[in-house]
Amino acid sequence: MRNAALVLGIIAGLFGMIVGFFGWGYTEVIDRYGEVGDWATQVDNVGLVRSTALMAPLLAIAGGAMARARALWGGVLLLISAAWMYAGFGFNVFTMFPIAFAGLAGILAISAGKPDEEKAHF
């Protein structure tokens, strides 16, 4: 389960980076060139979109990388990343896989235990 959390977390972070590049770029283009009628308008909370674009994929990659050695910490970071992506970008066709992968990886990492130890994370 730790390996699955590692792989899913890193994939979620990479997909989240792609969504984040477009999210940050969209807000920057609208800031520089202005809105285009009803077709391209600025988002309500630019700071939330930009912080999500930067930090959520970072947390997913870090959580995935930590999932093997520190499963509890990695799982918490992955769940925070999934929640942050949902809050910042919403759930749509572009964000469903990063959110789902980070959420599943977080659940797998938190529930992962070593077979030879009585406690899962200590």
Side-chain angles (χ1 to χ4, degrees):
M1 281 200 292
R2 291 173 186 243
N3 287 335
L6 178 140
V7 172
L8 287 172
I10 291 174
I11 291 171
L14 293 175
F15 284 155
M17 282 175 49
I18 294 168
V19 174
F21 288 143
F22 283 103
W24 190 298
Y26 178 82
T27 60
E28 186 64 29
V29 166
I30 298 298
D31 275 348
R32 281 186 196 230
Y33 302 111
E35 297 181 351
V36 181
D38 291 336
W39 183 71
T41 60
Q42 188 60 280
V43 297
D44 292 332
N45 192 344
V46 175
L48 177 62
V49 171
R50 289 184 180 182
S51 68
T52 303
L54 177 66
M55 293 304 296
L58 180 69
L59 290 178
I61 292 171
M66 293 171 66
R68 289 199 57 190
R70 290 288 201 182
L72 179 63
W73 293 7
V76 169
L77 289 179
L78 285 160
L79 290 176
I80 290 170
S81 172
W84 203 343
M85 278 191 246
Y86 181 76
F89 296 134
F91 191 82
N92 57 52
V93 70
F94 301 108
T95 61
M96 65 181 172
F97 286 112
I99 291 170
F101 284 8
L104 178 60
I107 291 169
L108 288 174
I110 288 175
S111 64
K114 292 184 179 178
D116 56 346
E117 293 183 11
E118 291 181 19
K119 294 184 180 180
H121 302 291
F122 303 104

